[in-house]
Amino acid sequence: MSGETKAKLILQDGSEYIGTSFGYQESISGEMVFNTAMTGYPESLTDPSYRGQILVSTFPLIGNYGVPGTLQEDDLFRFYESEKIQVSAFIVSDYTEEFSHWNASLSLGDWMKQHKIPGIYGVDTRALTKKLREQGSMLAKIVFEGKEPEWKDPNLENLVAQVSTPEKIVYGNGKHKVVLLDCGVKNNIIRCLLKRDTTVIRVPHDYDFTQEEYDGLFISNGPGDPKQNTKAIANLKTVFGQDTPIMGICLGTQLMALAAGADTYKLKYGHRSHNQPVVLKGSKRCFITSQNHGYAINMDTLPKEWEPLFVNANDGTCEGLKHTNKPFFASQFHPEASSGPTDTEFLFDDFIKMMEDHKGKS
């Protein structure tokens, strides 16, 4: 590309890499993590769970299908998971400015410039990923023209407050009334609920939903350390005393575990991919799932009325939980995918059935 600008990537362990800019040219700092997905960068980059993170793509060729337009359905962007790019920066091996796709409206680099997100290519992403797998996720900086920023650990911030809706929003007009606690919800979660005849009431992360009337409560995904969300955890403890169905995804799973009295911990390098195998407890059924999380539940700390629902086939970590006698359950992975496999979207149907059964009893 003409007018190439070089940038330096500095890691917390002192190692440095030189790359070429393809996005916005601004020095930044954040937590560097990697994603092994082969496709779906528009969805990944707009996933609020990546807030504060510098994302490394292990797939070598990025940008060849450009970026889709801004079509909206149900007041949500059809092809994105939020209203803007959420990552702090994007690092790839080989960036392609020439793109081709029926739905493309502009290049990845131009889109990132619009959102003021730095991107660099020409970096050995295999070496970066190997380093992260061996040493764990680490802080990193992207430096332009010697303007080096201070180190910034996003996990010390309340990232959920940065990505949650500031006010209540209502979507749809279905027969099942669902309160969705927005901790950084992906748009496709709302789409999956809406196509199942629901009215979705999206509320802020610190909203007191205990005073709301609803058929089901949904706790969304989101970024950062789950223990930062003290108000949400306290409110969940309150509604655990009732029998109204509850479903959680990703961060929502961890918040439900903390509210139940269990503990969470930070994974060495997290699960960020489209091919994470999870096994349904008590069966031989294995599902391939889309995931994006850096924290996990300590299964040994679950109280007796809670049990694991899914377990990761790679490392044995908790991939879901359920209450033993109440209609509460959650998945650490993303059944709505976007992008990724949709093998487990049936979990939304299970949530709908729980609401129908609960209505039948009342």
Side-chain angles (χ1 to χ4, degrees), residues 154-159 224-231 233 258:
N155 295 297
L156 301 178
E157 304 174 20
N158 189 343
L159 297 173
D225 185 345
K227 293 177 181 177
Q228 294 267 8
N229 302 277
T230 54
K231 289 186 178 179
I233 293 167
L258 290 168

Side-chain angles (χ1 to χ4, degrees), residues 35-138:
N35 183 312
T36 62
M38 297 174 65
T39 60
Y41 56 79
E43 294 91 341
S44 292
L45 295 183
T46 54
D47 180 352
S49 294
Y50 278 119
R51 185 74 167 195
Q53 294 179 328
I54 299 172
L55 180 61
V56 177
S57 174
T58 64
F59 191 69
L61 181 62
I62 298 293
N64 56 312
Y65 56 85
V67 175
T70 55
L71 175 68
Q72 293 194 33
E73 294 177 1
D74 299 311
D75 295 322
L76 300 167
F77 283 117
R78 177 67 183 85
F79 303 111
Y80 301 122
E81 291 310 297
S82 67
E83 75 286 353
K84 62 182 179 181
I85 300 178
Q86 301 287 352
V87 301
S88 293
F90 196 24
I91 300 172
V92 304
S93 175
D94 188 12
Y95 168 66
T96 302
E97 189 172 23
E98 298 296 326
F99 59 91
S100 177
H101 191 277
W102 68 269
N103 196 32
S105 62
L106 74 168
S107 71
L108 172 60
D110 287 342
W111 183 49
M112 291 173 63
K113 289 173 185 175
Q114 286 183 2
H115 290 261
K116 297 185 177 181
I117 303 297
I120 60 174
Y121 73 94
V123 175
D124 188 346
T125 53
R126 291 177 298 178
L128 286 177
T129 302
K130 185 176 180 180
K131 183 185 291 285
L132 294 176
R133 285 182 62 90
E134 292 175 349
Q135 301 182 31
S137 299
M138 65 177 67

Side-chain angles (χ1 to χ4, degrees), residues 209-270:
F209 53 80
T210 64
Q211 305 303 311
E212 292 280 337
E213 291 186 7
Y214 51 82
D215 301 315
L217 175 65
F218 195 101
I219 316 300
S220 85
N221 65 292
D225 185 345
K227 293 177 181 177
Q228 294 267 8
N229 302 277
T230 54
K231 289 186 178 179
I233 293 167
N235 288 331
L236 277 169
K237 287 180 181 179
T238 299
V239 297
F240 279 172
Q242 305 167 8
D243 296 320
T244 306
I246 303 174
M247 177 178 176
I249 286 179
C250 199
L251 179 70
T253 306
Q254 298 157 18
L255 296 182
M256 289 174 66
L258 290 168
D263 194 20
T264 57
Y265 63 97
K266 196 174 193 300
L267 292 165
K268 184 176 181 180
Y269 49 82

Side-chain angles (χ1 to χ4, degrees), residues 17 234 294-295 349:
Y17 302 79
Y295 290 80
D349 298 320

